[in-house]
Amino acid sequence: MSVVCQLSPGWLVDHLSFINKINYQVHQHHEPCCSKSEPTSSVYLDSLHMDSVSSFGSSATFTASDSTIKLENDDGGNCEMFIQKYVFRSELFDVTIPYITSAIHKECQQSNEKEDLMNGVKNEISISTVGKKRKRCVVFNQGEVDAMEYHTKIRELILDGSSQLIQEGFKSGFLHPLSEKRDKCREPITLPLDTCNLSELCEMAKHLPSLNEMELLTLQLMEDDVSVTEQDLFSRVVENNSSFTKTITVMGQKYLLPPKSSFLLSDISCMHPLLNCGKTYDVIVIDPPWQNKSVKRSKRYSYLSPLQIKQIPIPKLAAPDCLVITWVTNRQKHLRFVKEELYPSWSVELVAEWHWVKITNSGEFVFPLDSPHKKPYEGLVLGRVREKAALPLRKADVKVLPIPDHKLIVSVPCALHSHKPPLAEVLKDYVKPEGQYLELFARNLQPGWTSWGNEVLKFQHVDYFIVLESRS
């Protein structure tokens, strides 16, 4: 259970536990003992098949390894099975001290104390802060003024709610008090090299021959080992409908596919395979690549303009009464855009605003709560699709609870950039059981969810996992 505790303010969530409760258990045949016949190189799609021929050459062939158990080979003999169980690297959640400590933050305290004087201030605020050598005048622009006013509005909700959940975390043993002697000499975490740039592969895929949109829409990974062409991977929704984990190799890099998961690897210009499937979803979670100054300066991350985000075809993907959840940065410009422009353009009615609060393993905020630069929380804007309300709802007799105006999701964040906490368990009371779930701009996969994005397999790379056990 990834929910450590649930109180009226919200939930304390164990993200690592959620990942590791997924059955990341891979079964592989031991080749010398198995059938002498070669694995088929055909991809079976709704009882049809097609031969796979790589247009990038043999080095670019995508392969999927089966995770089901077969005790006999084609000759009737025994086939030895090799089993590997994977768990996510726990050090990626080992956040023992805040990213910015109170000592570093001390210089900003005088400025922060004056935030309470914001009432009546319209355009600019000049606050004298004490520097090491001289006084300097800090002039806040309108965006910064809006951010401080918003922070003042929600500060007590964040502080009081988090404190209650953190105390329960200590009682349960999930959180641990920090010893007086902080380990400042810990070795930095070594992250896997991005040797397979998935977003660049999506760009390459645009130059592949286009498939007939009326042909097979999904690629189902079957019981036997299969070879998958890059044309299939980028033009179809890939499904692992089995109860076991499968592995897929892309340009020599191996990724784990959870049971009952599906994905489409593409950018926003190639979403039609998702639309052509004809499925609609009861929950859609969106984590847009918001534009900001640091992203514009960096070449590592791409971003979308507000106009591009509005063009995401949510009305075509959403089922009646669909719950739409959008992650939003702390820029008030983005929050207003979602509430006042984005949701109305999708016929989504605003229903709630929640917050994700990031803490250390010892219950401290990862950034000082009143920091004028980085805040230890991010927002989620929740809405319901209302345009299709006249249509019959799925399982209309099933009652779900109304969504609260405000909730907190408190968790220890992952060291990986933009690896958001799971929402499945915290949403279960507010959505219909056995619904269809979709995540847009995803970077990982979840059982029971369809995931889309140009880096949708990123955090499924085997280097983010360790082999817990191997046996025959």
Side-chain angles (χ1 to χ4, degrees):
M1 185 83 174
S2 65
V3 175
V4 178
C5 66
Q6 179 178 356
L7 301 175
S8 57
W11 304 266
L12 178 62
V13 174
D14 184 350
H15 190 171
L16 178 62
S17 174
F18 175 85
I19 298 174
N20 287 337
K21 77 174 184 179
I22 297 173
N23 183 25
Y24 280 116
Q25 185 168 287
V26 179
H27 300 74
Q28 295 178 332
H29 297 101
H30 194 278
E31 292 183 1
C33 300
C34 293
S35 171
K36 296 180 181 179
S37 62
E38 295 295 325
T40 177
S41 61
S42 299
V43 180
Y44 292 85
L45 302 163
D46 298 332
S47 79
L48 299 177
H49 73 276
M50 60 184 294
D51 294 332
S52 48
V53 180
S54 172
S55 61
F56 283 169
S58 58
S59 64
T61 298
F62 301 86
T63 62
S65 302
D66 178 48
S67 303
T68 58
I69 300 176
K70 292 185 178 179
L71 299 179
E72 296 184 355
N73 60 21
D74 293 343
D75 299 326
N78 291 331
C79 177
E80 184 177 351
M81 186 66 61
F82 186 69
I83 302 174
Q84 286 186 316
K85 182 175 177 59
Y86 290 85
V87 294
F88 204 74
R89 290 171 54 180
S90 60
E91 66 266 27
L92 295 175
F93 286 93
D94 187 19
V95 184
T96 57
I97 59 176
Y99 301 146
I100 298 179
T101 63
S102 57
I104 298 175
H105 182 61
K106 191 173 182 180
E107 291 184 22
C108 300
Q109 285 182 341
Q110 182 175 351
S111 173
N112 297 333
E113 290 171 359
K114 294 188 178 181
E115 286 187 19
D116 293 335
L117 303 177
M118 293 301 302
N119 293 335
V121 177
K122 298 298 181 182
N123 296 317
E124 293 184 351
I125 295 180
S126 296
I127 298 179
S128 296
T129 56
V130 179
K132 292 183 178 180
K133 296 182 178 180
R134 61 185 178 84
K135 288 187 177 181
R136 57 190 179 92
C137 184
V138 179
V139 178
F140 295 100
N141 61 37
Q142 188 59 49
E144 292 168 328
V145 171
D146 292 343
M148 287 188 285
E149 290 178 342
Y150 177 78
H151 175 71
T152 301
K153 177 182 175 182
I154 66 169
R155 184 183 187 280
E156 293 307 313
L157 288 172
I158 300 289
L159 182 59
D160 294 344
S162 299
S163 298
Q164 295 180 46
L165 292 164
I166 289 169
Q167 288 303 313
E168 290 298 316
F170 285 126
K171 293 178 183 178
S172 67
F174 172 66
L175 301 176
H176 305 278
L178 189 65
S179 60
E180 293 183 4
K181 186 177 181 180
R182 301 192 179 202
D183 184 9
K184 296 183 179 180
C185 300
R186 288 172 43 208
E187 295 183 2
I189 297 173
T190 303
L191 300 178
L193 295 175
D194 190 13
T195 54
C196 181
N197 192 317
L198 297 172
S199 59
E200 288 186 2
L201 288 179
C202 291
E203 285 295 320
M204 294 170 61
K206 295 179 182 179
H207 304 290
L208 296 174
S210 60
L211 294 177
N212 187 340
E213 292 187 0
M214 299 307 294
E215 291 182 1
L216 304 168
L217 301 176
T218 62
L219 190 159
Q220 298 180 6
L221 301 181
M222 303 301 288
E223 302 298 339
D224 297 318
D225 293 351
V226 296
S227 296
V228 184
T229 68
E230 72 286 340
Q231 191 176 35
D232 286 328
L233 185 68
F234 295 115
S235 62
R236 306 183 193 279
V237 175
V238 180
E239 297 181 346
N240 175 16
N241 290 324
S242 75
S243 299
F244 301 95
T245 294
K246 295 180 184 291
T247 60
I248 188 168
T249 303
V250 181
M251 302 296 284
Q253 302 298 308
K254 185 180 288 187
Y255 301 88
L256 300 175
L257 309 185
K260 308 296 182 183
S261 65
S262 60
F263 71 90
L264 173 63
L265 175 63
S266 76
D267 65 18
I268 196 170
S269 67
C270 301
M271 294 186 70
H272 53 274
L274 190 62
L275 298 170
N276 291 343
C277 287
K279 291 177 64 175
T280 56
Y281 299 88
D282 301 292
V283 176
I284 300 178
V285 176
I286 312 167
D287 187 12
W290 294 106
Q291 178 180 336
N292 59 51
K293 292 180 181 179
S294 60
V295 169
K296 290 179 71 174
R297 288 192 298 264
S298 173
K299 295 182 179 180
R300 291 179 58 194
Y301 307 111
S302 59
Y303 61 86
L304 295 181
S305 68
L307 179 59
Q308 289 173 307
I309 295 174
K310 287 176 71 172
Q311 292 173 347
I312 300 171
I314 294 299
K316 294 181 179 180
L317 294 168
D321 209 40
C322 172
L323 176 61
V324 179
I325 304 170
T326 304
W327 289 94
V328 186
T329 67
N330 287 318
R331 288 193 66 183
Q332 293 305 292
K333 178 181 178 181
H334 296 153
L335 184 60
R336 286 194 300 268
F337 167 72
V338 172
K339 292 180 177 180
E340 300 172 8
E341 294 185 48
L342 187 63
Y343 277 12
S345 72
W346 290 340
S347 298
V348 173
E349 178 185 338
L350 178 67
V351 295
E353 184 178 344
W354 294 1
H355 288 89
W356 170 36
V357 182
K358 294 171 270 190
I359 62 171
T360 67
N361 299 111
S362 57
E364 298 179 88
F365 294 124
V366 295
F367 294 107
L369 180 58
D370 297 319
S371 169
H373 306 294
K374 290 276 192 176
K375 293 291 192 292
Y377 56 80
E378 294 184 35
L380 302 87
V381 181
L382 292 78
R384 289 276 191 193
V385 172
R386 297 304 187 192
E387 183 177 341
K388 302 179 183 179
L391 299 176
L393 302 180
R394 294 173 179 162
K395 295 188 177 182
D397 56 327
V398 178
K399 301 295 182 182
V400 297
L401 296 177
I403 296 177
D405 292 337
H406 188 262
K407 286 284 187 179
L408 299 180
I409 301 169
V410 179
S411 73
V412 177
C414 183
L416 303 176
H417 174 72
S418 196
H419 199 352
K420 300 295 197 300
L423 300 179
E425 290 191 20
V426 303
L427 294 175
K428 63 182 181 180
D429 292 334
Y430 311 108
V431 297
K432 303 174 184 64
E434 301 178 2
Q436 298 289 330
Y437 302 90
L438 172 66
E439 182 174 8
L440 302 179
F441 304 101
R443 291 184 171 186
N444 63 286
L445 308 181
Q446 299 181 60
W449 286 66
T450 298
S451 304
W452 166 83
N454 65 351
E455 293 185 310
V456 71
L457 296 177
K458 186 177 180 70
F459 299 147
Q460 300 302 132
H461 196 288
V462 292
D463 284 354
Y464 293 121
F465 296 79
I466 60 173
V467 178
L468 187 64
E469 59 183 53
S470 298
R471 65 182 187 272
S472 298

